[in-house]
Amino acid sequence: MPLENTGNITIKEIKRTKKGVFLILSNDQEIEICDDIILDFYLFKDKKLNESIIKEIKKSANMQNTLKKAYAMLGRGTYTKNEIKHKLLQKKCSPAVVDQVIAKLLALHYIDDDQYVEEYVNNAKEKGFGLNKIKSVLISKGIANQRLMNINYSDEEELEIIKRQIPKLEKKYVNYNYQSKLQHIYDKLLALGFNKEIVQNALSNVEEKDENKERELLKNDLLKAKRKYAKVIDKNERNKRIISYLYKKGYSYYIISDELKDDENEN
């Protein structure tokens, strides 16, 4: 870069603040720069610059400041190419400069979508996520479909991970009746991104229905239903609502009717 002290615009000040370093010019321009630019352009107070040099300084400053923002992001965690680009554009960085920065980061391997996918998939498996959720998250991060097709996650592996999840979910839904527990486990596994057919296959590993426990749960829910519809005067209408309430909770019509008869006999 030129060292000449030529031009009709003077550097009034090189101001350092908490927000950064700024070049203050006599024509009231204020350019955010960095120490590298000061050295590259040999900048100092009262130096005179022409418009051509100022244009070069701005171009270099844009590049350096955009790189600085990108490095700050990468210092906080790993990102995909699309995420870095989106975040830089959100910070009002020039699209052309952003493209140059992205190209530089790719060349330096500071951004590597293939490595990102591999690491994310491994971590997601450890967390118990299925393939569908993994793909959904990666799509939201701008990963190309071609990379998604190459994810190594077999049906057998999904099934093994689901089997490890089921005991935890059974414990979570221990106070639900059998049918409701199955439905909640099924919904949760789908939400975790597992394939529907594999989930259905895996649910055969859920412990069989305990009739005694089912009866106890039904008695508790029957009490709640009776309180809920206590103000319904007509007995038949009240019973219809109670039966509907319990049926929606996953109890079979047979066990509901049986329990209602026992309840009436006791009363």
Side-chain angles (χ1 to χ4, degrees), residues 63-118:
M63 182 68 175
Q64 293 298 326
N65 289 329
T66 305
L67 264 175
K68 180 181 176 182
K69 290 180 174 70
Y71 288 148
M73 292 177 206
L74 292 170
R76 295 190 292 270
T78 56
Y79 295 90
T80 65
K81 179 181 76 173
N82 190 71
E83 285 181 306
I84 290 290
K85 183 173 183 177
H86 180 68
K87 288 177 180 293
L88 289 174
L89 292 175
Q90 280 187 322
K91 293 178 180 293
K92 309 300 182 185
C93 297
S94 161
V97 175
V98 169
D99 287 341
Q100 293 176 41
V101 167
I102 294 295
K104 182 169 184 175
L105 294 174
L106 287 170
L108 293 169
H109 298 289
Y110 291 164
I111 300 176
D112 188 329
D113 282 359
D114 288 331
Q115 183 178 341
Y116 183 96
V117 169
E118 183 179 351

Side-chain angles (χ1 to χ4, degrees), residues 27 78 109 140 196:
N27 61 356
T78 56
H109 298 289
S140 73
K196 181 171 68 174

